[in-house]
Coordinates of all heavy atoms in Angstrom, one line a residue:
M1 N 49.8 89.4 14.3 CA 48.7 90.1 14.9 C 48.0 89.2 15.9 O 47.7 88.1 15.7 CB 47.7 90.6 13.9 CG 48.1 91.9 13.3 SD 47.3 92.5 11.9 CE 45.6 92.4 12.0
P2 N 47.7 89.8 17.1 CA 47.0 89.0 18.1 C 45.6 88.7 17.7 O 44.9 89.6 17.1 CB 47.0 89.9 19.3 CG 47.7 91.2 19.0 CD 48.1 91.1 17.6
G3 N 45.2 87.5 17.9 CA 43.8 87.1 17.7 C 43.5 86.7 16.2 O 42.4 86.5 15.9
T4 N 44.6 86.5 15.4 CA 44.4 86.1 14.0 C 45.0 84.7 13.8 O 45.7 84.5 12.8 CB 44.9 87.1 13.1 OG1 46.3 87.3 13.3 CG2 44.2 88.4 13.2
H5 N 44.9 83.8 14.7 CA 45.4 82.5 14.6 C 44.7 81.7 13.5 O 43.5 81.6 13.5 CB 45.4 81.7 15.9 CG 46.1 80.4 15.9 ND1 47.5 80.3 15.8 CD2 45.6 79.1 15.9 CE1 47.8 79.0 15.8 NE2 46.7 78.3 15.9
D6 N 45.4 81.1 12.6 CA 44.8 80.3 11.5 C 44.8 78.8 11.9 O 45.7 78.1 11.8 CB 45.6 80.5 10.2 CG 44.9 79.9 9.0 OD1 43.8 79.5 9.1 OD2 45.6 79.8 8.0
F7 N 43.6 78.4 12.4 CA 43.4 77.0 12.8 C 43.4 76.0 11.7 O 43.6 74.9 11.9 CB 42.1 76.9 13.7 CG 42.2 77.6 15.0 CD1 41.6 78.8 15.2 CD2 42.9 77.0 16.0 CE1 41.7 79.5 16.4 CE2 43.0 77.6 17.2 CZ 42.4 78.9 17.4
A8 N 43.1 76.5 10.5 CA 43.0 75.5 9.3 C 44.4 75.0 9.0 O 44.5 73.9 8.4 CB 42.4 76.2 8.1
H9 N 45.4 75.8 9.2 CA 46.8 75.4 8.8 C 47.6 75.0 10.0 O 48.8 75.0 10.0 CB 47.5 76.5 8.1 CG 46.9 76.8 6.7 ND1 45.8 77.7 6.6 CD2 47.1 76.2 5.5 CE1 45.5 77.7 5.3 NE2 46.2 76.8 4.6
E10 N 47.0 74.7 11.2 CA 47.7 74.3 12.4 C 48.3 72.9 12.2 O 47.6 72.0 11.7 CB 46.7 74.4 13.6 CG 47.4 74.1 14.9 CD 46.4 74.2 16.0 OE1 45.7 75.2 16.0 OE2 46.4 73.4 16.9
E11 N 49.5 72.8 12.5 CA 50.1 71.5 12.4 C 49.7 70.5 13.4 O 49.6 70.9 14.6 CB 51.7 71.6 12.4 CG 52.2 72.3 11.2 CD 53.7 72.2 11.1 OE1 54.3 71.2 11.6 OE2 54.3 73.1 10.6
K12 N 49.4 69.3 13.0 CA 49.0 68.3 14.0 C 50.2 67.4 14.2 O 50.9 67.0 13.3 CB 47.8 67.5 13.4 CG 46.6 68.3 13.2 CD 45.4 67.5 12.6 CE 44.3 68.4 12.3 NZ 43.2 67.8 11.6
P13 N 50.3 66.9 15.4 CA 51.4 66.0 15.7 C 51.2 64.6 15.0 O 50.1 64.1 14.9 CB 51.4 65.8 17.2 CG 50.0 66.1 17.6 CD 49.5 67.1 16.6
E14 N 52.3 64.2 14.4 CA 52.2 62.9 13.7 C 52.3 61.8 14.7 O 53.1 61.7 15.6 CB 53.4 62.7 12.7 CG 53.3 63.7 11.5 CD 52.2 63.3 10.6 OE1 52.0 62.1 10.4 OE2 51.6 64.2 10.0
G15 N 51.4 60.8 14.6 CA 51.3 59.7 15.4 C 50.8 58.5 14.7 O 50.5 58.6 13.5
P16 N 50.7 57.4 15.4 CA 50.1 56.2 14.7 C 48.7 56.4 14.3 O 47.9 57.1 14.9 CB 50.3 55.1 15.7 CG 50.4 55.8 17.0 CD 51.0 57.2 16.8
S17 N 48.4 55.9 13.1 CA 47.0 56.0 12.6 C 46.1 55.2 13.4 O 46.4 54.1 13.8 CB 47.0 55.6 11.1 OG 45.7 55.5 10.6
P18 N 44.9 55.7 13.6 CA 43.9 54.9 14.4 C 43.5 53.6 13.6 O 43.1 52.7 14.3 CB 42.7 55.8 14.6 CG 42.9 56.9 13.5 CD 44.3 57.0 13.2
D19 N 43.5 53.6 12.3 CA 43.2 52.4 11.6 C 44.2 52.2 10.4 O 44.0 52.7 9.3 CB 41.8 52.6 11.0 CG 41.3 51.3 10.3 OD1 41.8 50.3 10.6 OD2 40.2 51.4 9.6
P20 N 45.3 51.5 10.7 CA 46.3 51.3 9.7 C 45.9 50.5 8.5 O 46.4 50.7 7.4 CB 47.4 50.5 10.5 CG 46.8 50.0 11.7 CD 45.6 50.8 12.0
V21 N 44.9 49.6 8.7 CA 44.4 48.9 7.5 C 43.8 49.8 6.5 O 44.0 49.7 5.3 CB 43.3 47.8 8.0 CG1 42.7 47.1 6.8 CG2 44.0 46.8 8.8
S22 N 43.0 50.8 6.9 CA 42.4 51.8 6.0 C 43.5 52.5 5.3 O 43.3 52.9 4.1 CB 41.5 52.7 6.8 OG 40.4 52.0 7.3
D23 N 44.6 52.9 6.0 CA 45.7 53.6 5.3 C 46.3 52.7 4.2 O 46.6 53.2 3.1 CB 46.8 53.9 6.3 CG 46.4 55.0 7.3 OD1 45.4 55.7 7.0 OD2 47.0 55.1 8.3
V24 N 46.5 51.4 4.5 CA 47.0 50.5 3.5 C 46.1 50.4 2.3 O 46.5 50.4 1.1 CB 47.3 49.1 4.1 CG1 47.7 48.1 3.0 CG2 48.4 49.2 5.1
V25 N 44.8 50.3 2.5 CA 43.8 50.1 1.5 C 43.8 51.4 0.6 O 43.6 51.4 -0.6 CB 42.5 49.7 2.0 CG1 41.4 49.8 1.0 CG2 42.5 48.3 2.6
R26 N 43.9 52.5 1.3 CA 43.9 53.8 0.6 C 45.1 53.9 -0.4 O 44.9 54.3 -1.5 CB 43.9 55.0 1.6 CG 43.2 56.2 1.1 CD 43.1 57.2 2.2 NE 42.4 56.7 3.4 CZ 42.8 56.9 4.6 NH1 43.9 57.5 4.9 NH2 42.1 56.4 5.6
W27 N 46.2 53.5 0.1 CA 47.4 53.5 -0.8 C 47.2 52.5 -2.0 O 47.7 52.8 -3.1 CB 48.7 53.2 0.0 CG 49.2 54.4 0.6 CD1 49.2 54.8 1.9 CD2 49.9 55.5 0.0 NE1 49.7 56.0 2.2 CE2 50.2 56.5 1.0 CE3 50.2 55.8 -1.3 CZ2 50.8 57.7 0.7 CZ3 50.8 57.0 -1.6 CH2 51.2 57.9 -0.6
A28 N 46.6 51.4 -1.7 CA 46.4 50.3 -2.7 C 45.4 50.9 -3.7 O 45.6 50.6 -5.0 CB 45.9 49.1 -2.1
A29 N 44.4 51.6 -3.3 CA 43.4 52.1 -4.3 C 44.1 53.2 -5.1 O 43.9 53.3 -6.4 CB 42.3 52.7 -3.5
F30 N 45.0 54.0 -4.5 CA 45.8 54.9 -5.3 C 46.6 54.2 -6.4 O 46.7 54.7 -7.5 CB 46.6 55.8 -4.4 CG 47.6 56.7 -5.1 CD1 47.1 57.9 -5.7 CD2 48.9 56.4 -5.1 CE1 48.0 58.7 -6.3 CE2 49.8 57.3 -5.7 CZ 49.3 58.4 -6.3
S31 N 47.2 53.1 -6.0 CA 48.0 52.4 -6.9 C 47.2 51.8 -8.1 O 47.6 51.7 -9.2 CB 48.8 51.3 -6.2 OG 49.7 51.8 -5.3
C32 N 46.0 51.3 -7.7 CA 45.1 50.7 -8.7 C 44.7 51.8 -9.7 O 44.4 51.4 -10.9 CB 43.8 50.2 -8.0 SG 44.1 48.7 -7.1
A33 N 44.7 53.0 -9.4 CA 44.4 54.1 -10.3 C 45.6 54.6 -11.1 O 45.6 54.9 -12.3 CB 43.7 55.3 -9.6
L34 N 46.7 54.6 -10.4 CA 48.0 55.1 -11.0 C 48.6 54.2 -12.0 O 49.1 54.6 -13.0 CB 48.9 55.5 -9.9 CG 50.3 56.1 -10.3 CD1 50.0 57.5 -10.9 CD2 51.2 56.3 -9.1
V35 N 48.7 52.9 -11.7 CA 49.4 52.0 -12.5 C 48.8 51.9 -13.9 O 49.6 52.0 -14.9 CB 49.4 50.6 -11.9 CG1 49.9 49.5 -12.9 CG2 50.3 50.6 -10.7
P36 N 47.5 51.8 -14.1 CA 47.0 51.8 -15.5 C 47.3 53.1 -16.3 O 47.6 53.1 -17.5 CB 45.5 51.7 -15.4 CG 45.3 51.0 -14.0 CD 46.4 51.5 -13.2
V37 N 47.3 54.3 -15.6 CA 47.6 55.5 -16.2 C 49.0 55.5 -16.7 O 49.3 55.9 -17.9 CB 47.3 56.7 -15.3 CG1 47.9 58.0 -15.8 CG2 45.9 56.8 -14.9
V38 N 49.9 55.0 -15.9 CA 51.3 55.0 -16.3 C 51.5 54.0 -17.4 O 52.3 54.2 -18.4 CB 52.2 54.6 -15.1 CG1 53.7 54.3 -15.5 CG2 52.2 55.7 -14.0
L39 N 50.8 52.9 -17.4 CA 50.9 51.9 -18.5 C 50.4 52.5 -19.8 O 51.0 52.3 -20.8 CB 50.1 50.6 -18.1 CG 50.7 49.7 -17.1 CD1 49.7 48.6 -16.8 CD2 52.0 49.2 -17.5
L40 N 49.3 53.3 -19.7 CA 48.8 53.9 -21.0 C 49.8 54.9 -21.5 O 50.0 55.1 -22.7 CB 47.5 54.6 -20.7 CG 46.3 53.6 -20.5 CD1 45.0 54.4 -20.1 CD2 46.0 52.9 -21.8
M41 N 50.5 55.7 -20.6 CA 51.5 56.7 -21.0 C 52.7 56.0 -21.6 O 53.3 56.6 -22.5 CB 51.9 57.5 -19.8 CG 50.8 58.5 -19.3 SD 51.1 59.3 -17.8 CE 52.7 60.0 -18.1
C42 N 53.0 54.8 -21.2 CA 54.1 54.1 -21.8 C 53.8 53.3 -23.0 O 54.7 52.6 -23.6 CB 54.7 53.1 -20.7 SG 55.5 54.0 -19.3
G43 N 52.6 53.4 -23.5 CA 52.3 52.8 -24.8 C 51.5 51.4 -24.7 O 51.3 50.8 -25.7
Q44 N 51.2 51.0 -23.5 CA 50.4 49.8 -23.3 C 49.0 50.0 -23.9 O 48.5 51.1 -23.9 CB 50.3 49.4 -21.8 CG 49.6 48.2 -21.5 CD 50.4 46.9 -21.7 OE1 51.6 47.0 -22.1 NE2 49.8 45.8 -21.6
S45 N 48.4 48.9 -24.4 CA 47.0 49.0 -24.9 C 46.0 49.3 -23.8 O 46.3 49.0 -22.6 CB 46.7 47.7 -25.6 OG 46.5 46.7 -24.7
F46 N 44.9 49.8 -24.2 CA 43.9 50.1 -23.2 C 43.4 48.8 -22.5 O 43.1 48.8 -21.3 CB 42.7 50.8 -23.9 CG 41.6 51.2 -22.9 CD1 41.7 52.3 -22.0 CD2 40.4 50.4 -22.8 CE1 40.7 52.6 -21.1 CE2 39.4 50.8 -21.9 CZ 39.6 51.8 -21.1
G47 N 43.2 47.8 -23.3 CA 42.8 46.5 -22.8 C 43.8 45.9 -21.7 O 43.4 45.4 -20.7
G48 N 45.1 46.0 -22.0 CA 46.1 45.6 -21.1 C 46.1 46.4 -19.8 O 46.2 45.8 -18.7
A49 N 45.9 47.7 -19.9 CA 45.9 48.5 -18.7 C 44.6 48.2 -17.9 O 44.7 48.2 -16.7 CB 45.9 50.0 -19.1
A50 N 43.5 48.0 -18.6 CA 42.3 47.7 -17.9 C 42.4 46.4 -17.2 O 41.9 46.2 -16.1 CB 41.1 47.7 -18.9
G51 N 43.0 45.4 -17.8 CA 43.2 44.1 -17.2 C 44.1 44.1 -16.0 O 43.8 43.5 -15.0
T52 N 45.1 44.9 -16.1 CA 46.0 45.1 -15.0 C 45.3 45.8 -13.8 O 45.4 45.4 -12.7 CB 47.2 46.0 -15.4 OG1 47.9 45.3 -16.5 CG2 48.2 46.2 -14.3
A53 N 44.5 46.8 -14.1 CA 43.7 47.5 -13.1 C 42.7 46.5 -12.4 O 42.6 46.5 -11.2 CB 42.9 48.7 -13.7
A54 N 42.1 45.7 -13.2 CA 41.1 44.7 -12.6 C 41.9 43.7 -11.7 O 41.4 43.4 -10.6 CB 40.4 44.0 -13.7
G55 N 43.0 43.3 -12.1 CA 43.8 42.4 -11.3 C 44.3 43.0 -10.0 O 44.2 42.4 -8.9
L56 N 44.7 44.3 -10.1 CA 45.1 45.0 -8.9 C 43.9 45.2 -7.9 O 44.1 45.1 -6.7 CB 45.7 46.4 -9.2 CG 47.1 46.3 -9.8 CD1 47.6 47.6 -10.3 CD2 48.1 45.7 -8.8
V57 N 42.7 45.5 -8.5 CA 41.6 45.7 -7.6 C 41.2 44.4 -6.9 O 40.9 44.4 -5.7 CB 40.4 46.2 -8.5 CG1 39.1 46.2 -7.7 CG2 40.6 47.7 -8.9
A58 N 41.2 43.3 -7.6 CA 40.9 42.0 -7.0 C 41.9 41.7 -5.9 O 41.6 41.2 -4.8 CB 40.9 40.9 -8.1
L59 N 43.2 41.9 -6.2 CA 44.2 41.6 -5.2 C 44.1 42.5 -4.0 O 44.2 42.1 -2.8 CB 45.6 41.8 -5.8 CG 46.8 41.5 -5.0 CD1 46.8 40.1 -4.6 CD2 48.1 41.9 -5.7
T60 N 43.7 43.8 -4.2 CA 43.5 44.7 -3.1 C 42.3 44.2 -2.2 O 42.4 44.3 -1.0 CB 43.3 46.1 -3.6 OG1 44.4 46.5 -4.4 CG2 43.0 47.1 -2.5
C61 N 41.3 43.8 -2.8 CA 40.1 43.3 -2.1 C 40.5 42.1 -1.2 O 40.0 42.0 -0.1 CB 38.9 43.0 -3.0 SG 38.2 44.5 -3.7
V62 N 41.2 41.2 -1.8 CA 41.6 40.0 -1.1 C 42.5 40.3 0.1 O 42.3 39.9 1.2 CB 42.3 39.0 -2.0 CG1 43.0 37.8 -1.2 CG2 41.3 38.4 -3.0
C63 N 43.5 41.2 -0.1 CA 44.4 41.6 1.0 C 43.6 42.4 2.0 O 43.9 42.2 3.2 CB 45.5 42.5 0.4 SG 46.6 41.6 -0.6
H64 N 42.6 43.2 1.7 CA 41.8 43.9 2.7 C 41.1 42.9 3.5 O 41.1 43.1 4.8 CB 40.9 44.8 2.0 CG 40.0 45.7 2.9 ND1 38.7 45.4 3.0 CD2 40.3 46.7 3.7 CE1 38.2 46.3 3.9 NE2 39.2 47.0 4.3
G65 N 40.5 41.9 3.0 CA 39.8 40.9 3.7 C 40.7 40.1 4.7 O 40.4 39.9 5.8
L66 N 41.9 39.8 4.2 CA 42.9 39.1 5.0 C 43.4 39.9 6.2 O 43.6 39.4 7.3 CB 44.0 38.6 4.2 CG 43.7 37.4 3.2 CD1 44.9 37.2 2.3 CD2 43.3 36.2 4.0
L67 N 43.6 41.2 5.9 CA 44.0 42.1 7.0 C 43.0 42.3 8.1 O 43.3 42.2 9.3 CB 44.4 43.5 6.4 CG 45.7 43.6 5.7 CD1 45.8 44.9 4.9 CD2 46.9 43.4 6.7
R68 N 41.7 42.4 7.7 CA 40.6 42.5 8.6 C 40.5 41.2 9.5 O 40.2 41.2 10.6 CB 39.3 42.8 7.9 CG 39.2 44.2 7.4 CD 39.3 45.2 8.5 NE 39.2 46.6 7.9 CZ 39.4 47.7 8.6 NH1 39.8 47.6 9.9 NH2 39.3 48.8 8.0
Q69 N 40.6 40.1 8.8 CA 40.5 38.8 9.5 C 41.7 38.7 10.5 O 41.4 38.2 11.6 CB 40.6 37.6 8.5 CG 40.5 36.3 9.2 CD 40.6 35.2 8.2 OE1 40.7 35.4 7.0 NE2 40.4 33.9 8.6
S70 N 42.9 39.1 10.2 CA 44.0 39.0 11.1 C 43.8 39.9 12.3 O 44.1 39.6 13.4 CB 45.3 39.3 10.4 OG 45.4 40.6 10.0
E71 N 43.2 41.1 12.0 CA 42.8 42.0 13.1 C 41.9 41.4 14.1 O 42.0 41.5 15.3 CB 42.2 43.3 12.6 CG 43.2 44.3 12.2 CD 42.5 45.7 11.9 OE1 41.3 45.7 11.5 OE2 43.2 46.7 12.0
R72 N 40.8 40.7 13.5 CA 39.8 40.1 14.4 C 40.4 39.0 15.2 O 40.2 38.8 16.4 CB 38.7 39.6 13.6 CG 37.7 40.6 13.1 CD 36.5 40.0 12.5 NE 36.7 39.1 11.3 CZ 36.8 39.5 10.1 NH1 36.6 40.8 9.7 NH2 37.0 38.6 9.1
T73 N 41.3 38.2 14.6 CA 42.0 37.1 15.3 C 42.9 37.6 16.4 O 42.9 37.1 17.5 CB 42.8 36.2 14.3 OG1 41.9 35.8 13.2 CG2 43.5 35.1 14.9
A74 N 43.6 38.7 16.1 CA 44.5 39.2 17.1 C 43.7 39.8 18.3 O 44.1 39.6 19.4 CB 45.4 40.3 16.5
A75 N 42.6 40.4 18.0 CA 41.7 40.9 19.1 C 41.2 39.8 19.9 O 41.1 39.9 21.1 CB 40.6 41.8 18.5
K76 N 40.8 38.7 19.3 CA 40.2 37.6 20.0 C 41.3 36.9 20.9 O 41.0 36.6 22.0 CB 39.7 36.6 19.0 CG 39.1 35.3 19.5 CD 38.6 34.4 18.4 CE 38.1 33.1 19.0 NZ 37.7 32.2 17.9
V77 N 42.5 36.8 20.4 CA 43.6 36.2 21.2 C 43.9 37.1 22.3 O 44.1 36.6 23.5 CB 44.8 35.9 20.3 CG1 46.1 35.6 21.1 CG2 44.5 34.8 19.3
S78 N 44.0 38.4 22.1 CA 44.3 39.3 23.3 C 43.2 39.3 24.3 O 43.5 39.4 25.5 CB 44.7 40.7 22.8 OG 43.5 41.3 22.3
A79 N 42.0 39.1 23.9 CA 40.9 39.1 24.8 C 40.9 37.8 25.6 O 40.6 37.8 26.8 CB 39.5 39.2 24.1
E80 N 41.3 36.7 25.0 CA 41.4 35.4 25.7 C 42.6 35.5 26.7 O 42.5 34.9 27.8 CB 41.6 34.3 24.7 CG 40.3 33.9 24.0 CD 40.6 32.9 22.9 OE1 41.7 32.4 22.7 OE2 39.6 32.5 22.3
Q81 N 43.6 36.1 26.4 CA 44.8 36.2 27.3 C 44.5 37.2 28.5 O 45.0 37.0 29.6 CB 46.0 36.7 26.6 CG 46.6 35.7 25.6 CD 47.8 36.2 24.9 OE1 48.1 37.4 24.9 NE2 48.4 35.3 24.2
A82 N 43.6 38.1 28.3 CA 43.3 39.1 29.3 C 42.4 38.4 30.4 O 42.5 38.7 31.6 CB 42.5 40.3 28.8
S83 N 41.6 37.5 30.1 CA 40.8 36.7 31.1 C 41.1 35.3 31.1 O 40.7 34.5 30.2 CB 39.3 36.9 30.8 OG 39.0 36.4 29.6
P84 N 41.9 34.8 32.0 CA 42.4 33.5 32.0 C 41.3 32.5 32.2 O 40.3 32.8 32.9 CB 43.4 33.4 33.2 CG 43.0 34.5 34.1 CD 42.4 35.6 33.2
H85 N 41.5 31.3 31.7 CA 40.5 30.2 31.8 C 40.5 29.7 33.2 O 41.5 29.4 33.7 CB 40.8 29.1 30.8 CG 39.8 28.0 30.7 ND1 38.5 28.3 30.3 CD2 39.9 26.7 31.1 CE1 37.8 27.1 30.3 NE2 38.6 26.2 30.8
R86 N 39.3 29.5 33.8 CA 39.3 29.1 35.2 C 38.9 27.7 35.4 O 38.7 27.3 36.5 CB 38.3 30.0 36.0 CG 38.7 31.5 36.0 CD 37.8 32.3 36.8 NE 37.9 31.8 38.2 CZ 37.1 32.2 39.2 NH1 36.1 33.0 38.9 NH2 37.2 31.7 40.4
G87 N 38.9 26.9 34.4 CA 38.6 25.5 34.6 C 37.3 25.1 34.0 O 36.5 25.9 33.5
R88 N 36.9 23.9 34.3 CA 35.7 23.3 33.6 C 34.4 24.0 34.1 O 33.6 24.2 33.3 CB 35.7 21.8 33.9 CG 34.5 21.1 33.2 CD 34.7 19.6 33.4 NE 33.5 19.0 32.8 CZ 33.3 17.7 32.9 NH1 34.1 17.0 33.7 NH2 32.3 17.2 32.4
H89 N 34.3 24.2 35.4 CA 33.1 24.8 35.9 C 33.2 26.2 36.5 O 32.4 26.7 37.1 CB 32.5 23.8 37.0 CG 32.1 22.5 36.5 ND1 31.0 22.3 35.7 CD2 32.7 21.3 36.6 CE1 30.9 21.0 35.4 NE2 31.9 20.4 35.9
G90 N 34.4 26.8 36.2 CA 34.6 28.1 36.7 C 35.0 28.3 38.1 O 35.0 29.3 38.7
R91 N 35.3 27.2 38.8 CA 35.7 27.2 40.2 C 37.2 27.4 40.3 O 37.9 27.1 39.4 CB 35.3 25.9 40.8 CG 33.8 25.7 40.9 CD 33.5 24.4 41.6 NE 32.1 24.1 41.6 CZ 31.6 22.9 41.5 NH1 32.4 21.9 41.4 NH2 30.3 22.7 41.4
T92 N 37.6 27.9 41.4 CA 39.0 28.2 41.6 C 39.8 26.9 42.1 O 41.0 26.8 41.9 CB 39.2 29.3 42.7 OG1 38.6 28.9 43.9 CG2 38.7 30.6 42.1
G93 N 39.1 26.0 42.7 CA 39.8 24.8 43.1 C 38.8 23.7 43.4 O 37.6 23.9 43.3
G94 N 39.2 22.5 43.8 CA 38.3 21.5 44.1 C 38.5 20.8 45.4 O 39.5 20.8 46.0
G95 N 37.4 20.4 46.0 CA 37.4 19.6 47.3 C 38.0 20.3 48.4 O 37.7 21.4 48.8
S96 N 39.1 19.7 49.0 CA 39.7 20.2 50.2 C 40.5 21.5 50.0 O 40.9 22.1 50.9 CB 40.6 19.1 50.9 OG 41.6 18.8 50.0
H97 N 40.7 21.8 48.7 CA 41.5 23.0 48.4 C 40.7 24.3 48.6 O 41.2 25.3 48.4 CB 42.0 22.9 47.0 CG 43.0 21.8 46.8 ND1 44.2 21.8 47.3 CD2 42.8 20.6 46.2 CE1 44.8 20.6 47.0 NE2 44.0 19.9 46.3
R98 N 39.4 24.2 48.8 CA 38.6 25.4 48.9 C 38.5 25.9 50.4 O 37.6 26.6 50.7 CB 37.2 25.1 48.4 CG 37.2 25.1 46.9 CD 35.8 25.0 46.3 NE 35.5 23.6 46.1 CZ 34.3 23.2 45.9 NH1 33.3 24.0 46.0 NH2 34.1 21.9 45.7
G99 N 39.3 25.4 51.3 CA 39.3 25.9 52.6 C 38.6 25.1 53.6 O 38.6 25.4 54.8
A100 N 38.1 24.0 53.3 CA 37.4 23.1 54.2 C 38.5 22.4 55.1 O 39.5 22.0 54.6 CB 36.5 22.1 53.5
R101 N 38.2 22.2 56.4 CA 39.1 21.5 57.2 C 38.7 20.1 57.4 O 37.5 19.8 57.6 CB 39.1 22.2 58.6 CG 39.7 23.6 58.5 CD 39.8 24.2 59.9 NE 40.4 25.5 59.8 CZ 41.2 26.0 60.7 NH1 41.5 25.3 61.7 NH2 41.7 27.2 60.5
R102 N 39.7 19.3 57.3 CA 39.4 17.8 57.5 C 40.0 17.3 58.7 O 41.1 17.7 59.1 CB 40.0 17.1 56.3 CG 39.3 17.5 55.0 CD 39.9 16.8 53.8 NE 39.6 15.3 53.9 CZ 40.2 14.4 53.1 NH1 40.9 14.8 52.2 NH2 39.9 13.2 53.3
Q103 N 39.4 16.4 59.4 CA 39.9 15.8 60.6 C 40.7 14.6 60.1 O 40.1 13.7 59.5 CB 38.8 15.3 61.5 CG 37.9 16.4 62.1 CD 38.7 17.2 63.2 OE1 39.5 16.6 63.9 NE2 38.4 18.4 63.4
G104 N 42.0 14.6 60.3 CA 42.8 13.4 59.9 C 43.2 12.6 61.1 O 42.9 13.0 62.3
P105 N 43.8 11.5 60.9 CA 44.2 10.7 62.0 C 45.3 11.4 62.8 O 46.2 12.0 62.3 CB 44.7 9.4 61.4 CG 45.0 9.7 60.0 CD 44.1 10.9 59.6
G106 N 45.1 11.4 64.1 CA 46.1 12.0 65.0 C 45.8 13.4 65.3 O 46.5 14.1 66.0
S107 N 44.7 14.0 64.7 CA 44.4 15.4 65.1 C 43.3 15.3 66.2 O 42.5 14.4 66.2 CB 43.8 16.1 63.8 OG 42.7 15.5 63.4
P108 N 43.4 16.3 67.1 CA 42.4 16.3 68.2 C 41.0 16.5 67.7 O 40.8 17.4 66.9 CB 42.9 17.4 69.1 CG 43.7 18.3 68.3 CD 44.3 17.4 67.2
A109 N 40.1 15.8 68.3 CA 38.7 16.0 67.9 C 38.0 16.6 69.2 O 37.9 15.9 70.2 CB 38.0 14.7 67.5
D110 N 37.5 17.8 69.1 CA 36.9 18.4 70.3 C 35.4 18.1 70.3 O 34.6 17.9 69.5 CB 37.0 19.9 70.2 CG 38.5 20.3 70.5 OD1 39.2 19.6 71.2 OD2 38.8 21.4 70.0

């Protein structure tokens, strides 16, 4: 029927995620919840499953911090490459290289 387009179920094109670190952390959090449940279902003690969950949470937090640090480092390096270093005082050249003419021996002096 015309005019009854369902925008809630419209397919969005798959593309790269705007924040891949958040995607990784989201999957890690899912694993932190899923692994203890599976361990309990397989007969592991509650204490063992809780210890495993605590270890996974700690590991996820450390990995999240390292991923963010590597993102900051990569952004810093790319920013430094975008604007080249111009020297000690920011000048393009020194002395006679800046366009000044020098009178040398054998050149006519007017």
